[in-house]
Amino acid sequence: MKWHRFSEVVTDVTAKFTKVKASDYRGQGRYKIIDQGKKPIAGYTDNSSLVNDTLLPVVIFGDHTRVLKYVDEPIALGADGAKALRVNSGLANARYVYYYLRSIQIKEAGYSRHFKFLKEIAIPIPLKDGAPNFDAQIRIAHLLGKVEGLIDQRKQHLQQLDDLLKSAFLEMFGDPVRNEKGWDKPALTAFGKISTGNTPPRSESVNYDGDFIEWIKTDNITGDTVCVTPSTEHLSEIGARKARTVTSGALLVACIAGSVESIGRAALTDRKVSFNQQINAIQPGKDVNPLYLHGLFKLSRSYIQSHATKGMKKILTKGDFEKITMIKPPFEIQNRFSIIVEKVESIKSRYKQSLADLETLYGALSQRAFKGQLDLSRVHMPKPPAQHIAPVSIGDQASVPEPVAQASPVIDLPASDKLPAALENAEARKALIAEWLEAYRQQLGDAPFSVQDFMVAASDRLTEWLQTVVEDEAVADEQKNRLAEFYPSNDVGLDVNDYEHIKKWVFEALVANRLAQSRNVTGYDEQSGEPIFGNLIELKASQT
């Protein structure tokens, strides 16, 4: 293993890319736009003049975010902070360098520039007979990529389980804000005893691993776990006597935060705990199932946040918290939902342990690999990737057909008499979606049908209509107040129920031959001009 200066291995080629402004990102297009954000793809463009397809592969580094991405296809580079780095192909494999850069800890400096820190590092290069050992580099990158793929897969499984719970809740209870099923909707005081935490004197709070009572803060309410995480702070015997406590099964809700987005985060207790003054707690009554209550709060975050004060410091006082009205179905139905939650959480627990094991394995393999301590003889060499064929220039189009890359059409969803009712009524919303789906189908031409594009367009159209209603002086204040309760963020997003309506419509359209299935075309054979089909199935409007 030989260590090389960063500048020997990596060259900054950002200047050879034309950066794309965020305002010019599109939802679909021929080329991906990669920027420094966490999302793998920031947007799309059809403008080939913005794309550099000669400097491949490249590593994209977020100068502000420290995010790293590996790119081996033609892309456009997003503006503000994205660095394009080219690896010296005579010295190192680009994917190997990418994984090494991911393995190091880059100094955190807020939103300032970080590339200056990256340039200070050295990069280890495996050697064989005194020359760079590319086989070893490729094997290391391949092995880490396999483990990384398993980690991503496990994260996807966890997200799917969360989606399943959300779908089950909506199926059983409907939207908790719109309340299409007409459940009782009392104030939160009907759900149990509500209390606000406090802060015992700091001199009476100790870091202790014994049996002293835990002191929970908003940091222990993560929002992605059912129960509060263990606290590192415990109260002394004197402090515990002055603290506010709840027993197992209480719901702790963050009610004071620097940003309104943090308000409404909730988690259950599975033990007796004390909690600080930024938290309101509900100790459920006998007719409220704690797991139902947790699911209710998880799906009502925006609605809860709308009750917070709008000053610099976002606060949901105990008085305002107690006045919030929420759906309260019969206890028997709540219990049926809790059974589903328990089963799903049991599976999630195993998946989380598996994810933790995989992440530990990845860290250990990464550390040993870049120290030259791995036996790579049992790691199979991956098949060489398919060579990239550059897009055909205009001057060549007469001899070689243009590769297929359909840009999605702009979706024009027409005005409808169902629009007003769709904001408040589930059946009217279902009918409107069906009407708009047919309009979208007729606009497709030869472009593939996209559920995601349709849902975005429908959400935007409904939000636009909501804004029109809110600003219309002729609309009664009662209706405006009701809409404000349904959509506290003035944004109408399509939910799981809407997705189920869309899915059912698609199946019916396939049966009725209004939509047809076909394999995606990835390009054309240079000799015969015949289409080359990929492995994906596309839905297209039937031409018959």
Side-chain angles (χ1 to χ4, degrees):
M1 192 75 72
K2 181 179 179 181
W3 291 83
H4 289 260
R5 293 193 305 271
F6 182 86
S7 59
E8 293 177 322
V9 183
V10 176
T11 303
D12 182 359
V13 294
T14 308
K16 296 185 179 182
F17 286 79
T18 302
K19 290 198 171 184
V20 186
K21 295 180 180 178
S23 57
D24 294 330
Y25 293 4
R26 294 180 54 186
Q28 290 289 333
R30 184 176 178 183
Y31 301 103
K32 298 173 183 176
I33 300 173
I34 310 296
D35 67 7
Q36 67 166 340
K38 291 185 178 180
K39 292 183 178 179
I41 302 169
Y44 295 86
T45 181
D46 286 321
N47 188 346
S48 60
S49 68
L50 300 175
V51 176
N52 190 322
D53 60 355
T54 60
L55 297 175
L56 294 174
V58 291
V59 176
I60 307 301
F61 174 70
D63 207 356
H64 297 301
T65 62
R66 298 178 296 162
V67 170
L68 284 155
K69 300 171 187 176
Y70 175 84
V71 178
D72 58 2
E73 60 181 315
I75 57 124
L77 194 63
D80 187 27
K83 290 278 189 182
L85 308 178
R86 182 72 188 272
V87 174
N88 180 352
S89 60
L91 191 61
N93 174 271
R95 192 182 288 273
Y96 168 84
V97 172
Y98 159 74
Y99 279 112
Y100 176 71
L101 295 180
R102 286 192 52 184
S103 73
I104 63 175
Q105 293 292 324
I106 303 171
K107 180 180 177 181
E108 200 280 324
Y111 199 70
S112 65
R113 303 282 180 173
H114 293 83
F115 188 54
K116 56 189 175 186
F117 304 127
L118 194 66
K119 291 191 294 184
E120 295 175 354
I121 70 167
I123 298 174
I125 303 297
L127 298 179
K128 183 178 182 181
D129 299 328
N133 187 342
F134 284 94
D135 277 1
Q137 295 179 44
I138 292 170
R139 290 175 196 268
I140 288 170
H142 181 61
L143 176 62
L144 294 178
K146 285 288 187 181
V147 181
E148 184 179 58
L150 293 173
I151 289 172
D152 290 341
Q153 187 180 64
R154 186 59 75 224
K155 288 179 178 178
Q156 184 180 16
H157 290 160
L158 287 167
Q159 182 59 53
Q160 289 170 343
L161 288 171
D162 282 338
D163 292 342
L164 173 62
L165 280 180
K166 180 179 179 181
S167 179
F169 186 99
L170 293 171
E171 180 69 26
M172 295 178 71
F173 307 111
D175 186 280
V177 179
R178 292 202 296 267
N179 191 20
E180 308 100 328
K181 299 197 176 186
W183 306 112
D184 288 342
K185 197 173 182 181
L188 280 180
T189 49
F191 287 77
K193 180 182 177 182
I194 297 176
S195 57
T196 300
N198 65 345
T199 302
R202 302 303 296 157
S203 59
E204 296 172 359
S205 178
V206 295
N207 292 321
Y208 184 69
D209 295 330
D211 295 330
F212 289 174
I213 190 168
E214 288 179 65
W215 189 55
I216 300 295
K217 298 184 290 188
T218 52
D219 291 346
N220 301 111
I221 305 174
T222 64
D224 57 0
T225 58
V226 173
C227 293
V228 293
T229 61
S231 175
T232 58
E233 293 189 72
H234 299 71
L235 299 182
S236 67
E237 185 177 355
I238 298 174
R241 287 202 297 267
K242 298 181 179 180
R244 306 268 172 79
T245 62
V246 287
T247 58
S248 178
L251 187 76
L252 302 186
V253 185
C255 289
I256 299 179
S259 64
V260 72
E261 289 77 14
S262 300
I263 287 177
R265 218 167 49 215
L268 293 171
T269 59
D270 56 358
R271 57 203 182 275
K272 183 179 179 180
V273 298
S274 59
F275 52 103
N276 73 8
Q277 74 279 7
Q278 296 183 331
I279 296 170
N280 284 336
I282 304 176
Q283 190 80 55
K286 294 181 179 179
D287 59 348
V288 176
N289 186 293
L291 289 173
Y292 162 76
L293 188 61
H294 178 265
L296 175 63
F297 268 72
K298 193 167 185 177
L299 267 69
S300 305
R301 281 281 297 279
S302 296
Y303 172 61
I304 295 164
Q305 290 164 2
S306 69
H307 292 77
T309 59
K310 301 301 189 289
M312 289 292 291
K313 187 73 171 178
K314 309 302 179 184
I315 298 175
L316 183 55
T317 65
K318 181 172 179 284
D320 290 335
F321 185 73
E322 290 175 335
K323 294 175 184 177
I324 297 175
T325 58
M326 303 189 82
I327 61 171
K328 190 179 180 185
F331 188 52
E332 294 77 13
I333 305 178
Q334 297 179 36
N335 288 339
R336 290 208 296 270
F337 175 72
S338 74
I339 293 172
I340 298 173
V341 175
E342 288 171 349
K343 291 181 178 179
V344 170
E345 286 299 321
S346 175
I347 299 171
K348 282 180 65 177
S349 177
R350 295 197 296 272
Y351 279 7
K352 285 179 178 178
Q353 183 57 56
S354 171
L355 175 60
D357 292 342
L358 285 169
E359 289 175 334
T360 300
L361 173 64
Y362 181 90
L365 289 174
S366 176
Q367 187 177 45
R368 293 184 63 192
F370 298 119
K371 289 181 177 179
Q373 298 173 348
L374 273 186
D375 178 8
L376 298 172
S377 62
R378 299 176 65 181
V379 179
H380 296 293
M381 283 287 288
K383 293 180 179 179
Q387 294 297 311
H388 166 66
I389 300 175
V392 181
S393 66
I394 294 176
D396 294 330
Q397 284 183 355
S399 58
V400 183
E402 178 82 8
V404 172
Q406 285 283 350
S408 298
V410 176
I411 303 176
D412 180 20
L413 301 180
S416 170
D417 57 1
K418 301 180 182 67
L419 258 170
L423 293 174
E424 303 183 53
N425 182 277
E427 287 304 312
R429 189 178 176 108
K430 178 180 176 181
L432 176 65
I433 287 174
E435 185 178 304
W436 277 352
L437 281 165
E438 180 58 29
Y440 172 40
R441 188 191 72 83
Q442 295 177 14
Q443 297 168 27
L444 282 173
D446 195 41
F449 177 93
S450 169
V451 172
Q452 180 181 1
D453 288 352
F454 174 79
M455 291 183 73
V456 170
S459 296
D460 290 346
R461 190 74 173 87
L462 285 165
T463 299
E464 177 186 324
W465 181 260
L466 172 64
Q467 193 62 39
T468 301
V469 173
V470 170
E471 295 175 355
D472 189 345
E473 295 182 359
V475 176
D477 288 341
E478 180 182 352
Q479 183 181 6
K480 290 183 180 179
N481 291 336
R482 191 164 59 250
L483 290 173
E485 182 176 333
F486 288 165
Y487 309 104
S489 61
N490 288 329
D491 182 26
V492 185
L494 267 61
D495 57 28
V496 173
N497 284 337
D498 299 318
Y499 174 74
E500 291 299 323
H501 297 329
I502 295 170
K503 187 167 67 174
K504 183 179 179 182
W505 182 91
V506 168
F507 287 140
E508 292 174 350
L510 287 168
V511 172
N513 200 33
R514 299 197 304 276
L515 287 177
Q517 299 184 72
S518 63
R519 288 170 61 194
N520 66 313
V521 177
T522 60
Y524 292 95
D525 184 87
E526 294 185 13
Q527 301 298 324
S528 66
E530 293 295 319
I532 300 171
F533 293 99
N535 296 321
L536 301 178
I537 296 296
E538 292 181 334
L539 300 179
K540 293 193 174 183
S542 297
Q543 303 301 316
T544 56

